[in-house]
Amino acid sequence: MCELLEQDPEQARPAVLELVDAGDVALRTTGVWALDFIASDEDLSRLLTLLNDSYSDVRSAAAAPVGQFAERLPTAMDALAAALNDPDPQVRISVLSALGHTRATAAVPHVTRLIDDPNEEVRRWVTIALDRLGKATPQP
C-alpha cells in the first residue's frame, strides 16, 4: 500500500477509499491513515464524518488529514476545535498534533483550552503544539 501511495496516488485512491468505508475498524483506521497522503478537497466531508466515528482509533487517525485543510478552510478548523472535547486522550493528542502542524494562529486559542487537561500526556502535547505554532508556552 505504501509503495502504491508513493508511486501512483491516483491508482491507490480507490483502494484507500474502500478501506475508509470498511466496516472493520482496523481496516477503516488504516484507510484513514492512507487517505492522509492523498487527501483532496473532495475528501473533507468524509474526513469530518470520520472525525466523529464511533471508534476512537478512527477519530484519532482522521485528525491529521483534517488538519491539512484547517488553515484555509474554517470548517476543518472548527471540526478540530470540537474534537478537542473528545473523551479519549489519544484523540485529543492527535488533534493537538494536527493543529500544531497547521501553523495557523487561529489554532492557538483552541490549543490553549487544554492547558489544564486532566491527562498529563495531553498537557505535554499542548506545549508541543504551541511550540509548533510559534507561541511561548503559557503557565497553568
Side-chain angles (χ1 to χ4, degrees), residues 77 80-81 84 92 95-102 104-117 122-133 135 138:
M77 181 66 76
L80 288 172
L84 288 172
R92 296 194 305 275
V95 172
L96 287 166
S97 177
L99 287 169
H101 282 291
T102 68
T105 57
V108 173
H110 303 303
V111 171
T112 56
R113 277 192 355 226
L114 296 185
I115 196 73
D116 292 321
D117 192 273
V122 170
R123 292 191 307 270
R124 191 171 81 72
W125 272 93
V126 167
T127 302
I128 292 167
L130 289 171
D131 185 56
R132 288 179 180 163
L133 291 166
K135 300 294 176 192

Side-chain angles (χ1 to χ4, degrees), residues 79-91:
L80 288 172
L84 288 172
N85 296 319
D86 195 285
D88 188 298
Q90 186 55 54
V91 174

Side-chain angles (χ1 to χ4, degrees), residues 19-128:
L19 289 172
V20 167
D21 293 335
D24 179 84
V25 67
L27 291 176
R28 193 163 62 251
T29 302
T30 300
V32 174
W33 171 84
L35 189 57
D36 188 27
F37 294 94
I38 60 172
S40 66
D41 286 0
E42 69 188 58
D43 297 314
L44 182 58
S45 177
R46 173 182 266 133
L47 287 165
L48 294 178
T49 299
L50 292 162
L51 197 57
N52 291 294
D53 194 269
S54 59
Y55 290 93
S56 62
D57 287 349
V58 175
R59 296 192 307 272
S60 186
V66 171
Q68 291 184 38
F69 302 100
E71 192 167 3
R72 63 184 177 84
L73 298 175
T75 304
M77 181 66 76
D78 293 345
L80 288 172
L84 288 172
N85 296 319
D86 195 285
D88 188 298
Q90 186 55 54
V91 174
R92 296 194 305 275
I93 289 167
S94 295
V95 172
L96 287 166
S97 177
L99 287 169
H101 282 291
T102 68
R103 306 223 186 262
T105 57
V108 173
H110 303 303
V111 171
T112 56
R113 277 192 355 226
L114 296 185
I115 196 73
D116 292 321
D117 192 273
N119 183 282
E120 182 178 345
E121 192 67 12
V122 170
R123 292 191 307 270
R124 191 171 81 72
W125 272 93
V126 167
T127 302
I128 292 167

